[in-house]
Amino acid sequence: MKLSHRITNLTEGGSDGWDVFYRARRMISEGQAITELTIGEHDIGTDPVILDAMDASARGGHTGYAMVPGTDLLRDTVAARVQIRTGVKTTRDNVLITPGGQAALFAAHIAVCNPGDTGLFLDPYYATYPGTIRAAGAIARPVQTHAMDAFQPRESEIERFAGGAVSLLINTPNNPTGVVYSQDTLNAVANVCKNRDLWLVSDEVYDTQVWEGNHLSPRALPDMAERTLVVGSMSKSHAMTGSRCGWIIGPEEVVEHLINLATNTTYGVPGFIQDAASFALNSGHKLEEKIAEPFRRRRSLAMQVLGGQQTVGLIPAQGAMYLMLDIQATGLTGDSFANALLDSHKIAVMPGESFGMAAAGHIRVAMTIADEKLVSALQTICDFAAQLAENRGAG
Ligand code: PMP
């Protein structure tokens, strides 16, 4: 029986750059002690106070079908939060609650791309981006960013690839680079969107993890609210990855259509999860800061280790839970370096190439293990890189 092109073309086939990750998982299952710095998940679970709220809601009876667009309480809470942070008038009619940011990314592209249309995304990129655009029936077209620009996209480069495209997907604070887009960058992005009549899909799931500068939402830029769909999530801000709770913010008429999509796909998000999310968002900054704090601390520690050596370069670590390290001085690709590091030192990192060719010659380190272990792993990575660079010089 034949399957649809839509599903068979989701991944492009061949090596997907996750070989190191799966090899590390295999080694762990064989009983080897591997230092795991690959995946972007907190090393803590959801806070007990949030779990208590979830439990109380479920036991209070909120276990049936919930309102498909989201509960009024959560939609109002998200709208108020966005309005306070951006100054853009936002009501519950601008908000659809989704099962996580991933479902929001998919819904956003279904809303703006016709089958066969082209959706732009920036390289390096979060692993699911091209597949998500293809899942919506569109063609996923990468636009390169450059290490020399700290991976801030250039207006000219987006312009160059914008011909025939209908949407542009951006992500700030960025996974995998850890970069936070500047006001200039976002102005440039907004210019291209307006000049080329593109929808902007703005993935802001790391908006509470900013270590340098401020998170700016491009929806707040002049004339952008009408063409921007913002993707948000409880996953990173409140360590609720498994709860699958996120949202899209957009113009009312888009949200109306997205509600129809939700009715015919997800049928909403469990009520007790939404109540837990409302509780968490209404608990104020302290809870969010508690969850972001370990990454802020580890990022400072990492900068100390990296500051004491010359071989490994650090892309400005301004936000999110990742460090993007330049290992080109070793002469290896990110992929060969990551494989060699796993074999010789039992440390698993993601090759930059897993996130697109723009990050070739880099590795991504997730700051998701205890401080001392992270410091020690980074020291080992630097020593290993220095040794490789020295051997290269000698050879
Ligand atoms: N966007 C980015 C950039 C991410 O890193 C992730 C998760 N790693 C997501 C979206 C999706 O997150 P979730 O579906 O858990 O909200």
Side-chain angles (χ1 to χ4, degrees):
M1 293 297 290
K2 278 207 183 114
L3 288 169
S4 72
H5 294 311
R6 179 176 279 170
I7 198 144
T8 54
N9 292 343
L10 274 188
T11 57
E12 279 177 319
S15 163
D16 58 5
W18 287 75
D19 307 6
V20 184
F21 171 75
Y22 289 119
R23 211 151 68 76
R25 284 286 149 109
R26 239 185 351 264
M27 290 163 87
I28 292 168
S29 69
E30 289 162 6
Q32 300 194 47
I34 305 292
T35 304
E36 247 284 29
L37 301 171
T38 53
I39 273 283
E41 183 148 32
H42 318 68
D43 47 336
I44 51 164
T46 303
D47 199 281
V49 293
I50 301 177
L51 295 178
D52 286 345
M54 201 182 286
D55 184 67
S57 168
R59 287 182 193 283
H62 211 169
T63 52
Y65 291 124
M67 297 278 287
V68 170
T71 63
D72 288 351
L73 175 62
L74 184 54
R75 291 173 87 197
D76 287 345
T77 300
V78 169
R81 176 184 170 91
V82 167
Q83 184 164 317
I84 289 167
R85 287 172 166 233
T86 61
V88 185
K89 184 166 172 0
T90 309
T91 73
R92 80 168 68 137
D93 295 328
N94 300 112
V95 181
L96 171 77
I97 304 300
T98 61
Q102 182 56 46
L105 285 165
F106 174 67
H109 284 92
I110 286 276
V112 301
C113 296
N114 279 310
D117 279 350
T118 294
L120 303 175
F121 65 102
L122 300 173
D123 179 353
Y125 52 86
Y126 171 52
T128 67
Y129 280 4
T132 304
I133 295 170
R134 285 195 285 264
I139 296 161
R141 184 188 290 165
V143 176
Q144 304 286 304
T145 62
H146 304 278
M148 73 176 88
D149 303 332
F151 295 113
Q152 302 263 347
R154 293 181 196 167
E155 185 169 348
S156 57
E157 206 95 334
I158 305 174
E159 271 285 347
R160 196 149 72 84
F161 288 92
V166 297
S167 63
L168 168 65
L169 168 56
I170 67 166
N171 168 223
T172 181
N174 189 270
N175 176 14
T177 65
V179 166
V180 173
Y181 288 175
S182 66
Q183 179 82 58
D184 285 350
T185 294
L186 291 171
N187 285 339
V189 163
N191 281 343
V192 186
C193 289
K194 285 186 276 190
N195 292 342
R196 295 295 190 139
D197 198 19
L198 300 177
W199 284 96
L200 180 63
V201 181
S202 179
D203 178 345
E204 304 180 18
V205 302
Y206 291 97
D207 65 350
T208 61
Q209 298 180 3
V210 178
W211 325 129
E212 244 176 54
N214 292 310
H215 169 68
L216 303 167
S217 175
R219 179 167 174 264
L221 295 177
D223 304 321
M224 285 305 288
E226 67 211 46
R227 60 172 69 247
T228 303
L229 301 178
V230 175
V231 170
S233 173
M234 297 301 291
S235 287
K236 312 291 173 177
S237 59
H238 292 82
M240 289 180 70
T241 47
S243 288
R244 313 308 304 133
C245 188
W247 53 82
I248 301 189
I249 315 286
E252 281 177 29
E253 57 278 23
V254 180
V255 170
E256 269 173 39
H257 287 291
L258 285 170
I259 293 170
N260 292 335
L261 178 69
T263 303
N264 292 289
T265 52
T266 62
Y267 213 74
V269 174
F272 54 92
I273 298 286
Q274 296 195 61
D275 285 346
S278 301
F279 168 84
L281 292 172
N282 286 314
S283 297
H285 287 300
K286 281 241 169 66
L287 193 50
E288 280 171 27
E289 275 158 22
K290 183 173 162 193
I291 288 146
E293 159 47 36
F295 302 120
R296 185 189 298 281
R297 202 177 59 227
R298 290 171 195 161
R299 179 240 184 206
S300 303
L301 293 169
M303 287 183 58
Q304 281 171 32
V305 175
L306 292 158
Q309 54 83 56
Q310 306 288 322
T311 317
V312 176
L314 173 65
I315 298 297
Q318 299 164 324
M321 47 178 88
Y322 312 100
L323 304 168
M324 185 60 94
L325 305 181
D326 179 347
I327 48 85
Q328 293 178 79
T330 65
L332 298 185
T333 62
D335 202 39
S336 330
F337 183 91
N339 275 293
L341 182 70
L342 182 58
D343 288 331
S344 57
H345 294 288
K346 308 274 185 270
I347 296 174
V349 297
M350 290 300 286
E353 292 85 356
S354 316
F355 308 103
M357 287 322 288
H362 291 71
I363 56 170
R364 189 195 74 172
V365 172
M367 298 185 283
T368 47
I369 56 170
D371 298 17
E372 327 73 66
K373 284 194 182 153
L374 179 67
V375 166
S376 150
L378 284 170
Q379 195 59 62
T380 305
I381 291 171
C382 292
D383 294 346
F384 182 58
Q387 192 62 55
L388 287 168
E390 200 179 305
N391 294 348
R392 184 190 186 200

